[in-house]
């Protein structure tokens, strides 16, 4: 492993994360988990959680001309990184055949909604058909593995009821949302057709200091830091009225793990049950550093979407009841944690 890769390490400055509990239990054999999308936000938190629980972690990384280990640099000595791509059936089958995992977490996707309008076909290949390729790999190479699919509240889109729960009909509003609906149903179908232990976690928006800079929470926390440090004078955003159920990514990966420990495979909605607008986000983020967001935020039509998801709000009752899962980080704690991390990161 190159020094460069190591050095990007645990640099996610300023992040204060509650510690996960340790242990599979004394005398239990070590489990192996394969994570696709390990270089992403959720992949990095899930790898940490599973390592803490004593798993052998195999992280799937696609080939790029530069390394994409910024979020997992601090884990590279403890996980096994293997090459494969959601577009390439053989590479996925080889990973599953070689690792013979107990659990497979499919977190890889083209996950940014606006890109799904400019690259709808690629989004379908990664985010929809990629799920079938990985399910085929499991079915053919190691069908005993338990499979987690990263489904999304974007599937509810123009929601037909509020709050949204496991039985709420889907009405996706973007090519990304449509692709996730396919990924959801193919997971259900492989469970019902082949008896695979396959579950779909319908997760509402979850954020952290490791969130990509293009998503609205991080764009705002980074924007606040840039303004405080005199590097920017304004922050250009799209629809300030959009409302989401925002939680902390570190909490949500624990829900993924819990879903795969249940006696029967079922699908779950995971969210906080609280909804805030983008305007509220600005209020908390700018307010944290003593600024009035109205003086800095400008609405720019280039960030307004062709079809918007106006509101998403989870009913996480099933997850609470059956998984014993509850979020630990509040909206205000999340936003201020992200602002603090961005302030610390920039000298
Ligand atoms: P993210 O940070 O964008 O990470 C996406 C991951 O997918 C990256 O590791 C990326 O690798 C990998 N990837 C993309 N295309 C690939 C391909 N062709 N082959 C192999 N790997 C590929 O996403 P996230 O926020 O962690 O989300 C994880 C999953 O949960 C995604 O499926 C997302 O759609 C879903 N989800 C997220 C949320 C949320 O609020 N975060 C909510 C619901 C569902 P590179 O590093 O090489 O780009
Ligand atoms: O942060 P966002 O880009 O997240 P979005 O579209 O809700 O998708 C995220 O959550 C999904 C779960 O529901 C995931 F499946 C998906 O992979 C991703 O992680 O936008 C949130 C809201 C939108 O309504 C958007 O229109 O914020 C609004 N917004 C307003 N101004 C903006 C901006 N979003 C972005 N990215 N940039 C803006 O300037």
């Amino acid at each position: 492993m190159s020094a460069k890769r190591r050095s990007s390490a645990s640099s996610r400055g300023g992040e204060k994360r509650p510690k996960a509990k340790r242990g599979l239990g004394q005398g239990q054999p070590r489990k192996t988990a394969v994570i696709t999308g390990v270089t992403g936000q959720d992949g990095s938190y899930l790898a940490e959680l599973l390592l803490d629980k004593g798993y052998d972690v195999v992280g799937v990384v696609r080939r790029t001309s530069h390394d994409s280990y910024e979020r997992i640099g601090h884990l590279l000595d403890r996980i096994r990184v293997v090459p494969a791509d959601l577009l390439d059936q053989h590479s996925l089958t080889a990973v599953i055949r070689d690792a013979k995992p107990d659990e497979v977490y499919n977190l890889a996707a083209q996950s940014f909604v606006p890109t799904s309008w400019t690259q709808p076909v690629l989004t379908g290949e990664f985010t929809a058909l990629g799920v079938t390729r990985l399910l085929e790999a499991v079915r053919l190479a190691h069908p005993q593995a338990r499979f987690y699919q990263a489904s999304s509240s974007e599937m509810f889109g123009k929601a037909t009821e509020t709050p949204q729960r496991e039985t709420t009909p889907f009405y996706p509003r973007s090519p990304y949302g449509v692709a996730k609906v396919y990924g959801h149903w193919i997971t259900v179908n492989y469970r019902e057709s082949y008896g695979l232990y396959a579950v779909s976690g319908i997760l509402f928006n979850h954020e952290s200091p490791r969130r990509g800079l293009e998503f609205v929470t991080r764009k705002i926390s980074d924007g606040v830091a840039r303004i405080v440090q005199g590097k920017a004078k304004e922050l250009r955003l799209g629809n300030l009225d959009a409302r989401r159920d925002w939680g902390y990514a570190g909490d949500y990966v624990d829900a993924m793990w819990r879903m795969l420990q249940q006696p029967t495979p079922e699908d779950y909605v995971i969210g906080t049950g609280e909804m805030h607008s983008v305007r509220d986000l600005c209020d908390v983020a700018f307010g944290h550093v003593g600024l009035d967001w109205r003086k800095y935020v400008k609405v720019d039509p280039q960030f307004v979407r062709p079809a918007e998801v106006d509101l998403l709000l989870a009913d996480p009752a099933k997850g609470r009841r059956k998984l014993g899962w509850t979020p630990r980080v509040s909206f205000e704690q999340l936003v201020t944690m992200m602002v603090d991390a961005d302030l610390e990161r920039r000298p």
Side-chain angles (χ1 to χ4, degrees), residues 38-195:
V38 73
T39 55
Q41 171 188 257
D42 291 5
S44 66
Y45 284 109
L46 180 63
E48 284 172 3
L49 179 96
L50 296 178
L51 287 169
D52 269 357
K53 290 183 183 295
Y55 280 62
D56 287 327
V57 174
V58 178
V60 174
V61 174
R62 61 177 164 164
R63 148 89 191 140
T64 54
S65 63
H66 58 93
D67 79 43
S68 54
Y69 296 158
E70 196 189 349
R71 298 182 178 100
I72 57 164
H74 60 299
L75 303 177
L76 287 174
D77 289 340
R78 300 169 64 205
I79 69 175
R80 190 148 56 88
V81 169
V82 295
D85 198 299
L86 287 179
L87 295 181
D88 188 87
Q89 181 69 61
H90 290 300
S91 65
L92 296 172
T93 309
V95 166
I96 302 299
R97 182 197 60 212
D98 295 348
K100 295 191 176 32
D102 299 282
E103 295 167 13
V104 177
Y105 295 86
N106 183 34
L107 308 188
Q110 189 303 95
S111 76
F112 188 48
V113 172
T115 297
S116 76
W117 276 288
T118 55
Q119 299 180 6
V121 176
L122 192 68
T123 299
E125 287 286 354
F126 286 5
T127 305
L129 276 179
V131 186
T132 309
R133 294 190 190 98
L134 191 57
L135 281 164
E136 275 293 279
V138 169
R139 181 178 79 83
L140 294 170
H142 193 61
Q144 325 55 330
R146 294 185 170 203
F147 181 89
Y148 174 86
Q149 166 58 14
S151 288
S152 165
S153 52
E154 272 286 311
M155 300 190 304
F156 297 124
K158 193 171 177 180
T160 55
E161 66 175 346
T162 298
Q164 295 87 43
R165 54 191 147 193
E166 290 77 7
T167 51
T168 302
F170 299 141
Y171 189 152
R173 293 274 280 172
S174 62
Y176 169 82
V178 173
K180 281 288 180 187
V181 171
Y182 175 92
H184 172 84
W185 282 116
I186 200 69
T187 302
V188 173
N189 182 261
Y190 269 55
R191 178 167 78 213
E192 294 177 355
S193 302
Y194 302 114

Side-chain angles (χ1 to χ4, degrees), residues 180-233:
K180 281 288 180 187
V181 171
Y182 175 92
H184 172 84
W185 282 116
I186 200 69
T187 302
V188 173
N189 182 261
Y190 269 55
R191 178 167 78 213
E192 294 177 355
S193 302
Y194 302 114
L196 293 189
Y197 188 113
V199 310
S200 163
I202 306 174
L203 271 50
F204 282 61
N205 299 49
H206 45 278
E207 319 293 316
S208 73
R210 301 181 196 178
R211 189 54 143 154
L213 282 164
E214 66 276 35
F215 297 91
V216 75
T217 51
R218 185 73 198 289
K219 189 172 168 183
I220 292 171
S221 63
D222 180 67
V224 167
R226 292 173 65 80
I227 288 168
V228 167
Q229 287 155 0
K231 294 184 177 124
K233 290 193 164 38

